[in-house]
Amino acid sequence: MTSNNFETFNFNESLQEGLDAMGFNKPTPIQQEAIPEILKGKDLIACAQTGTGKTAAFILPILHKIAEKGDNQFNTLIIAPTRELAIQIDQQIQGLAYFVGVSSIAIYGGGDGLVWEQQKKALEHGTEIVVATPGRLIALLAGGKIKLDTLEHLVLDEADRMLDMGFSDDILKIINYLPKNRQTVLFSATMPPKIRQFSKKIVTDPHEINIAISKTAEGVTQRIYMAHDSQKESLLEHILTQKNYEAVIVFASTKDKVKSIFKTLKKKFKVEAFHSDLSQEERETIMSNFKNKTLKILIGTDIISRGIDVEGIELVINYDTPSDPEDYVHRVGRTARADKKGEAITFVNEKDLFKLHKTQNLIGLEIPRVDLPEELGTGPEYREPNARKGNAPSKGNFKKGTQKKQKPRNPRKNVQNKATQTSKDSPKPNAKKPASSSKENGQQSGKFRTRRNVTD
């Protein structure tokens, strides 16, 4: 079923009125495919990146079903990997559920006593939808603070991220508390084999959807700077002074590096560091300020690369080249959202060339390189990676246009040459000609959303 507008889904009248009032009329591709299946009650495995409208793809049909049923029982559990994503999902549910009179609550750890009291009261007074992080939910279940007998829908959002964070056992433990007769919906930004294996334990005869994964949006301009670590801070300052940016995210590889960059930038820019050492209240305040543009530069690790929906981010800077190519896609996906334009700049040192090569293979394009500002001097040389035995690129062993020599097929014809060769130039006995690396080809993900789409 393909729908050009939401009216073709025959949603509950109040829900449709709400969509009309909010100006949402055209579903995104993931919404077009997922909503009918969820309305049918089918288990679903959907592969779609953040920014494609996936949150509304599961919220809208569930709200429709709750509104049609008309009772106030606990109906839906949504599990998310981080507090930030749980809060964001809950906020979007509240915006859409207002028109149908459905309530929701986000349950997560790390807050103060007041936050926990608010969560506890909401559970005691009854709520139809709970959005929870795995750790807090298990604590509630173990303490008998939440009953799941009436549950009809289970949604796992960012399933790949939850497995990466080591939550697979926790999720399976939660599953044991759930009614067997339920609809399970699993959303994942990527679909590696471990996700497929894991999904077999929790879904039954699922419908599968795959929306153009592992590609960066057409609206983002990507660039790389070859830069030594000693040049990165000065380069970052140079970039941030070239334009009066309204919203910038700087990604670093570790919490300590985030703090170090913050100490440098705060002398000249309005900037905040976002990391796990902050209290929940501090994190919420920083994110709120960033969303309303009173804070223009945010520094963080990959904790903010997935599931955080902030409109109007103009620039993403990868201070460190992401180790995982998928993380590059998610970081870059913070900009050029909702058909807007954006920039993504990555700093690459001599040790990161292997990571860059993997990323370029994944996204199917070679990212343009830009010269460093003259005052910063010369950066590392960009070199194509050689291949190791078994065609695996060798980390940190990059040379452009060079290959190991092959062992001569007829040694007798090469006796004279062999005698005159220096030991340095002698062919190595087991050297093999490296296989050239190939790039994955694929279409760009394209424009998933229009101005009037329901966003993540």
Side-chain angles (χ1 to χ4, degrees):
M1 175 180 176
T2 301
S3 302
N4 294 322
N5 58 66
F6 285 108
E7 290 180 355
T8 58
F9 294 127
N10 296 317
F11 281 144
N12 172 270
E13 185 177 348
S14 297
L15 180 58
Q16 185 59 55
E17 285 177 3
L19 290 171
D20 292 339
M22 297 168 73
F24 298 132
N25 52 41
K26 185 179 180 182
T28 65
I30 186 61
Q31 292 161 8
Q32 290 175 6
E33 295 196 39
I35 288 173
E37 299 304 322
I38 297 175
L39 288 174
K40 290 176 191 173
K42 288 275 294 180
D43 280 8
L44 178 68
I45 297 175
C47 191
Q49 292 172 210
T50 298
T52 59
K54 64 179 178 62
T55 310
F58 60 77
I59 289 174
L60 289 172
I62 287 173
L63 286 176
H64 164 81
K65 291 204 266 187
I66 294 174
E68 290 290 290
K69 190 173 182 181
D71 61 29
N72 296 318
Q73 290 184 312
F74 176 43
N75 178 282
T76 299
L77 172 64
I78 300 170
I79 304 178
T82 66
R83 292 173 283 187
E84 287 71 31
L85 183 54
I87 292 168
Q88 180 179 299
I89 293 171
D90 180 50
Q91 288 172 344
Q92 187 162 350
I93 292 171
Q94 290 178 18
L96 294 167
Y98 171 81
F99 300 93
V100 292
V102 173
S103 63
S104 66
I105 182 68
I107 304 292
Y108 49 86
D112 56 23
L114 179 60
V115 171
W116 168 235
E117 282 303 314
Q118 291 173 342
Q119 295 175 359
K120 195 164 109 178
K121 282 182 183 177
L123 290 173
E124 289 170 353
H125 288 98
T127 184
E128 287 93 340
I129 302 175
V130 170
V131 188
T133 54
R136 172 60 80 183
L137 183 58
I138 285 178
L140 289 172
L141 291 168
K145 302 291 185 182
I146 183 171
K147 301 296 183 185
L148 304 177
D149 303 354
T150 59
L151 181 133
E152 296 182 6
H153 304 100
L154 170 67
V155 178
L156 300 181
D157 197 14
E158 300 282 8
D160 53 345
R161 196 63 169 171
M162 281 194 274
L163 264 61
D164 287 342
M165 294 170 70
F167 285 134
S168 56
D169 289 342
D170 287 346
I171 293 169
L172 293 177
K173 192 178 294 184
I174 291 166
I175 297 291
N176 290 331
Y177 285 90
L178 306 183
K180 300 288 185 187
N181 186 22
R182 67 175 189 274
Q183 181 180 19
T184 301
V185 175
L186 184 151
F187 272 83
S188 183
T190 59
M191 197 56 63
K194 64 181 179 181
I195 290 290
R196 294 197 174 277
Q197 288 298 115
F198 178 76
S199 68
K200 291 177 182 178
K201 300 176 183 178
I202 60 174
V203 296
T204 304
D205 189 24
H207 179 83
E208 294 194 26
I209 298 171
N210 195 326
I211 301 291
I213 62 167
S214 301
K215 302 297 177 212
T216 49
E218 288 181 347
V220 60
T221 300
Q222 302 173 68
R223 292 177 285 157
I224 63 171
Y225 283 94
M226 298 300 301
H228 297 292
D229 287 342
S230 59
Q231 297 170 311
K232 287 184 176 181
E233 284 191 355
S234 297
L235 176 58
L236 180 59
E237 290 187 36
H238 170 83
I239 291 169
L240 293 175
T241 56
Q242 296 307 296
K243 180 180 173 182
N244 185 24
Y245 290 102
E246 289 296 315
V248 179
I249 294 182
V250 179
F251 286 106
S253 57
T254 66
K255 175 176 62 180
D256 289 340
K257 196 167 288 188
V258 166
K259 294 177 180 179
S260 174
I261 297 169
F262 169 67
K263 286 180 182 177
T264 300
L265 290 187
K266 72 177 181 178
K267 300 169 187 175
K268 297 182 180 179
F269 304 94
K270 186 160 187 176
V271 61
E272 287 288 355
F274 193 92
H275 50 76
S276 58
D277 284 351
L278 300 174
S279 69
Q280 183 62 25
E281 184 180 359
E282 288 172 321
R283 293 165 79 169
E284 289 178 18
T285 299
I286 289 172
M287 192 56 66
S288 175
N289 291 338
F290 189 58
K291 286 183 177 182
N292 64 34
K293 303 298 189 292
T294 56
L295 169 65
K296 296 190 175 183
I297 303 172
L298 184 64
I299 311 165
T301 60
D302 282 313
I303 193 173
I304 53 174
S305 70
R306 298 187 187 221
I308 303 302
D309 188 19
V310 178
E311 293 297 331
I313 294 174
E314 301 168 277
L315 174 64
V316 168
I317 297 177
N318 293 310
Y319 192 87
D320 301 299
T321 308
S323 298
D324 186 342
E326 292 286 358
D327 287 336
Y328 177 87
V329 174
H330 287 291
R331 290 183 184 185
V332 172
R334 298 306 92 209
T335 188
R337 297 163 70 85
D339 292 344
K340 294 182 180 179
K341 301 295 183 182
E343 297 178 70
I345 297 173
T346 302
F347 298 169
V348 183
N349 66 22
E350 59 274 17
K351 295 178 182 179
D352 289 337
L353 282 164
F354 175 59
K355 301 174 188 175
L356 175 65
H357 181 69
K358 288 199 301 180
T359 297
Q360 292 182 147
N361 278 347
L362 179 72
I363 65 176
L365 61 86
E366 185 170 342
I367 305 169
R369 297 184 293 279
V370 182
D371 292 334
L372 289 173
E374 191 173 338
E375 62 270 21
L376 294 185
T378 305
E381 181 187 354
Y382 177 86
R383 291 170 291 175
E384 295 292 342
N386 278 340
R388 277 196 289 188
K389 188 174 181 180
N391 296 333
S394 173
K395 186 173 182 180
N397 182 25
F398 290 77
K399 290 210 173 177
K400 188 173 183 178
T402 61
Q403 295 177 337
K404 293 182 181 179
K405 296 181 181 180
Q406 288 183 305
K407 183 178 180 181
R409 293 182 180 178
N410 188 345
R412 284 183 295 177
K413 290 185 180 180
N414 293 279
V415 171
Q416 187 174 357
N417 290 337
K418 239 177 159 182
T420 58
Q421 284 177 329
T422 64
S423 60
K424 181 179 179 181
D425 294 328
S426 297
K428 296 179 182 179
N430 297 316
K432 292 184 180 180
K433 186 176 180 179
S436 60
S437 60
S438 61
K439 294 179 180 180
E440 292 184 11
N441 294 320
Q443 294 179 340
Q444 294 284 355
S445 59
K447 299 178 180 180
F448 285 118
R449 292 195 283 179
T450 67
R451 258 177 106 179
R452 293 181 178 269
N453 285 347
V454 181
T455 58
D456 272 321

